[in-house]
Amino acid sequence: MIGKEKKLAIYMEGNLDSIYAKMGYGVMRYSENPIVCVIDSDYSGKKVNEVTDQPFQIPIVASVEKAIEMGAEVMVLGLAPTGGKLPDTWVNDVEKALTLGMSLVNGLHDLLGERFAHLLNTDKPEQVIWDVRKPLTDYAIARARASALTNKRVLMVGTDMAVGKMTAGLEVYKWIREQGISSDFLATGQIGITVTGKGIPLDAIKVDQACGAVEHLVLEAQDKDIVFIEGQGSLLHPGSTATLPLMRGSCPTHLILCHRGEMSTLRDVTDIKIPPFNEVIKLNEAVAHACGSFPKAKTVGIAVNTSKLNESEALQVIDKIEKDTGLPVTDVVRFGAEKIGRALL
């Protein structure tokens, strides 16, 4: 929907350091488009790496007008808040950006295309509102068609929601691709779709059609030797329904478990403890296999997000998990993806 040559401004007003800022951070890390600035008046005049733990040396500006002065052509809404609603405080700037000729990338559940279509310049056909979470109207019911494929299908699974499944998947996919292996990354969430330009918004698809949507995505990539399916949610989380349709639709042959290194309980439901890793691995493999009804999925590695730990603490956590499970364990951003990537060869 957005050409790779288009210059981006990421809109984070009042939320650059929010726990819901992962949409913006994901675009900063993986988008192929040039990013000219971040918009957040709280930190205007600084760079992202000066005010957050993120490594991006992207300048922060105070307004939409300043972003346009710097050459921005597209405004990306950088939040993924609970409920996915457009904050009321953002409406004026969204209207301003569209009125001034910018395109809009929207990863919220609120679909903005119809709401703000009247602000698009009819003499400027390249100006668009891309509602990333707008699904197709219909998907075929899944029939385990992926189980007949002969490629490797690697599903990212997690001990919790928001532990870095997309990031780990993209990093391992990148390493595999660099080895000259035919591969693809299949996005299932708004960030992955935004940075790759394709995929399905799984959490916006009707439950009855979710498995079929995943199956359709996997069948389209059947010519690739290895495909990585972006994970969503967790079997451990009482509010998550996403992992099961990913398993049923993709019929995975391999799993990569993802975890935040500092966590021993779920982030939002802290009275639920994360079980020992070997038990979590058994759970995911057993559900994927379904008593032999589907292909047997083997866990090949554990990707640990250690961004909240110093390097010494990170290495200690990785070493302990590796000893406990006997699997290759690493932080694929901090230390590279080779250790887990090689387990797939």
Side-chain angles (χ1 to χ4, degrees):
M1 290 293 296
I2 300 294
K4 298 299 182 186
E5 77 287 353
K6 296 292 185 180
K7 296 178 181 178
L8 310 182
I10 302 178
Y11 188 81
M12 308 287 286
E13 180 61 33
N15 285 275
L16 183 58
D17 55 359
S18 165
I19 62 172
Y20 302 116
K22 68 176 187 176
M23 172 72 171
Y25 295 155
V27 174
M28 291 180 213
R29 185 179 298 279
Y30 293 112
S31 178
E32 295 180 19
N33 291 71
I35 300 173
V36 298
C37 65
V38 167
I39 302 172
D40 189 337
S41 59
D42 290 345
Y43 298 106
S44 177
K46 298 183 181 296
K47 294 182 178 180
V48 172
N49 64 326
E50 294 174 344
V51 297
T52 73
D53 60 0
Q54 301 296 319
F56 314 112
Q57 297 184 25
I58 302 172
I60 305 169
V61 301
S63 67
V64 171
E65 291 91 340
K66 185 62 178 177
I68 292 173
E69 283 180 25
M70 296 179 69
E73 303 165 275
V74 179
M75 189 165 82
V76 179
L77 300 184
L79 270 198
T82 300
K85 297 293 185 182
L86 177 70
D88 292 339
T89 54
W90 283 19
V91 172
N92 285 342
D93 278 344
V94 168
E95 292 179 337
K96 185 184 299 180
L98 291 168
T99 300
L100 293 175
M102 298 183 81
S103 290
L104 184 71
V105 176
N106 168 41
L108 300 171
H109 278 301
D110 269 355
L111 301 181
L112 306 182
E114 293 185 8
R115 179 176 175 183
F116 295 111
H118 65 284
L119 297 176
L120 294 175
N121 186 339
T122 56
D123 296 325
K124 193 177 180 181
E126 70 274 16
Q127 185 190 18
V128 298
I129 300 172
W130 181 18
D131 284 319
V132 177
R133 270 177 160 157
K134 186 175 183 178
L136 297 178
T137 57
D138 191 33
Y139 294 95
I141 300 300
R143 293 287 185 268
R145 299 174 183 92
S147 65
L149 303 180
T150 59
N151 59 1
K152 294 178 181 179
R153 300 176 300 284
V154 186
L155 175 62
M156 314 303 293
V157 294
T159 56
D160 195 1
M161 297 192 278
V163 294
K165 294 181 286 292
M166 181 204 72
T167 298
L170 281 168
E171 291 293 331
V172 181
Y173 159 63
K174 178 182 175 183
W175 186 88
I176 288 290
R177 189 178 59 183
E178 289 170 350
Q179 312 316 303
I181 298 169
S182 172
S183 56
D184 201 358
F185 178 85
L186 308 183
T188 61
Q190 75 274 16
I191 306 173
I193 297 170
T194 300
V195 300
T196 65
K198 59 187 178 67
I200 58 168
L202 184 62
D203 61 1
I205 296 171
K206 295 177 181 178
V207 172
D208 284 352
Q209 298 180 1
C211 298
V214 176
E215 183 176 86
H216 174 76
L217 194 65
V218 172
L219 292 175
E220 283 192 324
Q222 63 184 288
D223 60 321
K224 305 298 184 182
D225 293 333
I226 303 178
V227 292
F228 294 86
I229 301 98
E230 179 186 357
Q232 302 291 337
S234 170
L235 291 179
L236 300 177
H237 199 291
S240 173
T241 59
T243 303
L244 188 58
L246 286 165
M247 287 180 169
R248 291 294 168 262
S250 68
C251 296
T253 57
H254 298 80
L255 306 174
I256 295 175
L257 179 64
C258 303
H259 174 70
R260 289 193 71 98
E262 79 279 7
M263 289 172 55
S264 58
T265 68
L266 300 188
R267 186 188 69 183
D268 297 327
V269 194
T270 55
D271 57 331
I272 297 181
K273 293 183 178 180
I274 296 172
F277 287 98
N278 285 324
E279 296 303 311
V280 178
I281 289 167
K282 288 179 183 176
L283 170 66
N284 280 283
E285 291 182 350
V287 174
H289 194 37
C291 303
S293 298
F294 302 96
K296 187 174 179 60
K298 175 186 177 183
T299 304
V300 294
I302 301 175
V304 183
N305 178 345
T306 65
S307 59
K308 300 297 183 183
L309 307 175
N310 63 41
E311 185 165 326
S312 175
E313 293 169 335
L315 290 171
Q316 289 177 19
V317 167
I318 287 169
D319 183 63
K320 183 179 188 308
I321 298 173
E322 204 160 61
K323 288 178 178 176
D324 288 345
T325 64
L327 291 171
V329 181
T330 192
D331 182 325
V332 295
V333 172
R334 200 170 198 167
F335 304 118
E338 180 176 0
K339 186 188 286 188
I340 294 177
R342 288 201 176 280
L344 289 166
L345 301 182

